[in-house]
Amino acid sequence: MPPSRRRDVTGGTLHVVLAFLLGGLFTQVLAVAVMGARARERRQEIEDRLGEPPGV
C-alpha cells in the first residue's frame, strides 16, 4: 500500500476511534447526571413523607 493511502486509512481510523470515545464519554456524563437527579428526587420524596424531625 502506498504511504499516502496508509495515512488516509490511519486518519480515518483515528477519527472513528475518537468519535467512539467521545460518544462514550458523553453517554457516561449523561448517565451520571440522570442518576444524580433521580437520587435527589428520591431523597426529597422521602424527606417529604417523613415530615419535619421532632424538636425542630
Side-chain angles (χ1 to χ4, degrees):
M1 187 180 296
S4 61
R5 177 78 175 126
R6 188 178 308 129
R7 189 168 33 242
D8 290 343
V9 172
T10 304
T13 303
L14 181 62
H15 280 99
V16 169
V17 169
L18 286 176
F20 179 76
L21 291 175
L22 290 174
L25 180 63
F26 175 76
T27 304
Q28 289 296 318
V29 168
L30 186 61
V32 168
V34 168
M35 287 190 308
R38 286 183 179 172
R40 282 190 297 277
E41 185 178 301
R42 179 79 175 135
R43 190 178 310 120
Q44 186 63 45
E45 180 183 322
I46 292 170
E47 289 174 356
D48 290 346
R49 200 177 308 156
L50 292 175
E52 289 287 325
V56 175

